Amino acid sequence: MVDHADIQARGLHGSTKVLLLGGLCLLLQQVPISYRIDFFGEQADASLIHLHAGLLLAIAMLERDRRVVAGCFLLTFAGWTGRQLYFDQWQPGPVLAWGAASYLFTLGWSLVCAQWMRWPRAPGQRVQRRDLIRFAAIGLLLYPLALSLAGFSIAAISTSALAISSAFQMFFAKQFGVAVVTLPLVVAWRERGYPTPRLDVGSHWMWPVMLGTGLVLSLWMAVLVRQAYMADGAAPRLVLMDYRFALLLVLGWGMLRLSSRWAMAALSLTLLLLVGMVAGTAEYANSPVGFFNLLHITLELNILLLAMMYLWLTNRDRFELAERLSSETLRDQITGLPNLKALRERVARPLARTELGYLLLDQTDTLVAGFGLDTQAQAMNATARRLEDIVETYYVGTGQFALLPKFSRDADLWERVMARVEHAEIDAGGQPMRLLPYLGVAAFNGTQASVIDAAVVAASHLAFEARHHGELRPRYSDIGDTQLRRTHRRQLHDATEALASLRNERVVLYFQPIRELADVEGEPRGLMGEVLCRLLDERGEIMSPARFMAPLEAAGRGAELDLAVVRALFRLLRKSPAALPHCREIAINLTGQSLASMSFQVELRTLLAGSPLPMSALCFEVTETAAISNTAAASHLLADLRALGCHIAIDDFGTGMQSFARLRELPVDIIKIDGSFVRNVAQLGKDHAVVQASVAVATAFGAITVAEFVEDEATEHCLRQLGVQRVQGYLYGAPRPLVDVLAETAAEAAVFRS
């Protein structure tokens, strides 16, 4: 339904526009640059510029309501009619009819030219450099030329000499009016609300002032010289065009330094001044030389207009491009969140507290590997939004944020940050996920980039230390924690050395046996146990897992380690063909990073295709934490391995007993109870209850139970009573080099055959 009140309000608004703009046209109609023209004996006083013509074309270009445009033309025609009646002693004549037809044609022609120049435009669309070509061809040439030809039609009611004079007057008057008013006004109107472009280099205000002062002094001295040498005593004229190069420089400075409003006003006033200065030349336009001189001046004015507009538009575009690029460098390209550079700029301004937090979200690499960058970006943005009312967030990398407090007095700020992130559920591919937060907090003193970087490094060390120890509380430190720095440098060194060992195949495999409790007193039925990895450093010394596992996983190289272990295992097995028939079950550990890596899965299937052992003799162990944190990815990989005939074991069971519901989704053949519960199981305390519950869970899942870290007979006896089926620990054998174990197995097989 049409809202009549809305129509009435819009009509009132349009009427106001007509009165304001039409009134301005009437005022400009009264601003002449007078000169006397003589064509074929027809002498008349005329104006060299029709400023209202330029305003009317600008209105046609800017105003989308054509009724407003028509109203402005009607008011302007009314003003012309009143003046014409005054000159004709209030006697209407044919000139009025011709004027009405002329204004009606001008209205239609203005709308057509505006449309050809692709105006009016939607709000927000600005003048571009490519518009200058259309404006030069249509606005500065075609528009006044057609109006001058229309003015020639006065010959129907007057003499041909008057018609030629009228056409001449209208061409230059309309042309100068458009040049002085139209384009500067359109640009100034469209640039409202946009920042002022600034010139950064060579923009000191002194040099344009000095140049302008020199220009004024030069003009004054030119007047003095002309007065001294004018023989006929005629009044000297200022010829400003003689100083157009100096004027170009001053005006160019204004284009680069002033706001759009003042720059366009300066350009328009300068052009108006130049038109006024050449009015004397127009009096001689009835001669061929004078006419072409006026055309030459008109061309120079148009070139000046277009050159200044091009300079202004180019500077505006350059400024906005620089601002956009600068803004983009302050944000991460994937998430759109402020980055470390934005943090460095932010600390230059007053802060609520000179304290910085470093938030580390665990398992975010799984989001990228399992769901893609878009899901990871959504998760990071969701985290930032959840914290935006208490801290400023700056994105450092995948799952890592630098945080600045927003309030000076908030004693439990960092604890609240941890609580908000820890209890937030993230939608990852339709599945709810929770990312464990780890937080380091460091104080800083200063705004220099080096100080802020040091604070970020210190806080990040604390966050990674918290993750290493599984500490879900903020860790605090000051900037001078040298022990933390030494720890970090040692970790970096270990990671570098471990990567070098992997890539140079300096991998040594150890083997720890696993026994069936039913076979402990009898002969073992084949080789069954777990493969353990060791690396050799450059000196040939063995690196323990404590030195290289955490650094490799922190560097994202867990999958590379797992593949290296499988390759080394298959090489050793191929070198001991006699031991292969006696290999009952060989267990291989997989890291959480391997579960989330598609490239790992492809490479592992390729290796398994050339396995020297049947698939039923291979068992892959995954820690409970990694399996539950990557449930979807783990289910897919482990199901594929199980379909090939491999066995699947959940290692360190009991550390994540709150996640039995998710564990139900995994294909499980073996559950290995974490050794921290097995060590004290014989004391019949809480650990005994945990082991008992683990056995019950394994039974419900139809899985075999294996107890780790069995070191004495009392523990073995207790495990037997609880129904544990397999055991592993120093009571049955310490880890030994796999090559020795395979050699002994082959030797025992040879003795048995003989």
Side-chain angles (χ1 to χ4, degrees), residues 64-102:
R64 301 178 67 85
D65 189 349
R66 294 315 191 192
R67 294 173 298 179
V68 173
V69 180
C72 292
F73 271 85
L74 182 60
L75 276 182
T76 309
F77 171 67
W80 177 86
T81 301
R83 188 172 59 177
Q84 189 64 36
L85 287 173
Y86 173 77
F87 287 137
D88 292 341
Q89 299 180 355
W90 308 103
Q91 296 295 324
V95 176
L96 290 181
W98 172 84
S102 177

Side-chain angles (χ1 to χ4, degrees), residues 706-751:
V706 179
E708 301 177 303
F709 292 10
V710 181
E711 299 177 351
D712 53 55
E713 293 182 356
T715 300
E716 177 194 304
H717 177 71
C718 184
L719 293 172
R720 193 188 300 273
Q721 289 183 330
L722 288 172
V724 174
Q725 294 152 298
R726 296 180 184 177
V727 286
Q728 177 183 358
Y730 279 81
L731 181 62
Y732 315 106
R736 299 171 52 206
L738 179 59
V739 63
D740 295 343
V741 173
L742 291 175
E744 289 180 4
T745 302
E748 291 175 0
V751 170

Side-chain angles (χ1 to χ4, degrees), residues 412-488:
D412 61 344
L413 168 68
W414 301 115
E415 285 76 8
R416 289 198 294 124
V417 168
M418 293 286 285
R420 285 197 183 187
V421 178
E422 187 177 2
H423 297 123
E425 278 198 350
I426 295 173
D427 183 15
Q431 296 183 357
M433 286 188 64
R434 288 188 178 182
L435 301 177
L436 292 179
Y438 303 98
L439 183 66
V441 181
F444 59 90
N445 185 17
T447 60
Q448 299 88 351
S450 58
V451 173
I452 303 306
D453 290 345
V456 171
V457 170
S460 67
H461 291 172
L462 292 166
F464 279 100
E465 284 290 318
R467 184 177 73 170
H468 178 71
H469 295 287
E471 186 176 344
L472 297 179
R473 289 181 58 82
R475 280 201 166 200
Y476 298 89
S477 175
D478 57 36
I479 203 67
D481 193 343
T482 56
Q483 178 62 36
L484 197 61
R485 294 185 179 184
R486 286 197 295 269
T487 301
H488 182 65

Side-chain angles (χ1 to χ4, degrees), residues 4 75 470 561 585:
H4 296 285
L75 276 182
L561 173 66
E585 187 173 279

Side-chain angles (χ1 to χ4, degrees), residues 222-536:
V223 172
L224 294 180
V225 170
R226 291 181 181 227
Q227 285 178 340
Y229 287 94
M230 289 293 285
D232 57 0
R237 286 186 177 274
L238 290 178
V239 185
L240 193 60
M241 292 301 290
D242 292 344
Y243 300 88
R244 54 189 174 275
F245 296 112
L247 184 65
L248 182 68
L249 290 175
V250 176
L251 194 56
W253 179 88
M255 294 296 104
L256 296 175
R257 291 296 298 168
L258 300 177
S259 65
S260 59
R261 180 188 310 169
W262 293 109
M264 294 303 109
L267 176 59
S268 186
L269 290 175
T270 301
L271 293 173
L272 181 61
L273 178 62
L274 290 174
V275 173
M277 288 298 177
V278 301
T281 306
E283 296 182 357
Y284 307 104
N286 56 315
S287 66
V289 175
F291 178 76
F292 283 107
N293 181 59
L294 189 56
L295 281 179
H296 169 252
I297 293 173
T298 304
L299 180 62
E300 283 202 351
L301 285 175
N302 291 333
I303 290 174
L304 177 63
L305 167 67
L306 296 175
M308 289 299 103
M309 289 304 309
Y310 186 83
L311 176 64
W312 190 89
L313 292 171
T314 300
N315 184 60
R316 181 202 68 182
D317 294 344
R318 179 202 62 83
F319 171 79
E320 293 183 349
L321 177 60
E323 288 290 308
R324 186 164 61 251
L325 291 176
S326 177
S327 176
E328 288 177 357
T329 61
L330 298 178
R331 293 191 173 273
D332 177 70
Q333 297 300 306
I334 297 176
T335 63
L337 295 172
N339 56 20
L340 275 179
K341 184 179 179 182
L343 172 64
R344 296 189 187 103
E345 292 192 4
R346 171 64 184 89
V347 296
R349 304 192 302 273
L351 298 171
R353 287 158 63 172
T354 55
E355 201 173 45
L356 182 145
Y358 194 95
L359 178 64
L360 172 65
L361 301 179
D362 205 10
Q363 301 296 333
T364 49
D365 53 345
T366 304
L367 290 174
V368 180
F371 303 100
L373 285 174
D374 54 342
T375 301
Q376 182 239 336
Q378 292 171 10
M380 299 303 100
N381 277 283
T383 302
R385 286 194 300 271
R386 192 168 181 82
L387 300 174
E388 63 184 358
D389 61 324
I390 56 176
V391 293
E392 300 175 20
T393 56
Y394 298 88
Y395 191 68
V396 179
T398 304
Q400 301 172 51
F401 297 87
L403 310 176
L404 287 178
K406 284 191 172 182
F407 307 105
S408 57
R409 296 181 179 179
D410 193 347
D412 61 344
L413 168 68
W414 301 115
E415 285 76 8
R416 289 198 294 124
V417 168
M418 293 286 285
R420 285 197 183 187
V421 178
E422 187 177 2
H423 297 123
E425 278 198 350
I426 295 173
D427 183 15
Q431 296 183 357
M433 286 188 64
R434 288 188 178 182
L435 301 177
L436 292 179
Y438 303 98
L439 183 66
V441 181
F444 59 90
N445 185 17
T447 60
Q448 299 88 351
S450 58
V451 173
I452 303 306
D453 290 345
V456 171
V457 170
S460 67
H461 291 172
L462 292 166
F464 279 100
E465 284 290 318
R467 184 177 73 170
H468 178 71
H469 295 287
E471 186 176 344
L472 297 179
R473 289 181 58 82
R475 280 201 166 200
Y476 298 89
S477 175
D478 57 36
I479 203 67
D481 193 343
T482 56
Q483 178 62 36
L484 197 61
R485 294 185 179 184
R486 286 197 295 269
T487 301
H488 182 65
R489 284 197 295 269
R490 186 177 64 251
Q491 289 177 344
L492 288 178
H493 176 267
D494 289 345
T496 303
E497 196 165 26
L499 282 173
S501 298
L502 281 181
R503 291 167 182 173
N504 290 284
E505 297 185 349
R506 295 198 298 266
V507 179
V508 178
L509 298 184
Y510 276 57
F511 184 84
Q512 187 173 29
I514 297 175
R515 295 284 188 261
E516 297 273 1
L517 271 177
D519 296 336
V520 170
E521 296 177 356
E523 292 294 330
R525 297 179 299 173
L527 190 63
M528 182 170 61
E530 179 182 358
V531 172
L532 305 174
C533 177
R534 305 289 186 268
L535 298 179
L536 296 177

Side-chain angles (χ1 to χ4, degrees), residues 99-122:
S102 177
Y103 265 90
L104 186 60
F105 172 78
T106 304
L107 170 60
W109 182 239
S110 299
L111 294 176
V112 169
C113 288
Q115 186 175 5
W116 285 351
M117 289 187 287
R118 299 183 182 177
W119 292 89
R121 296 177 181 174

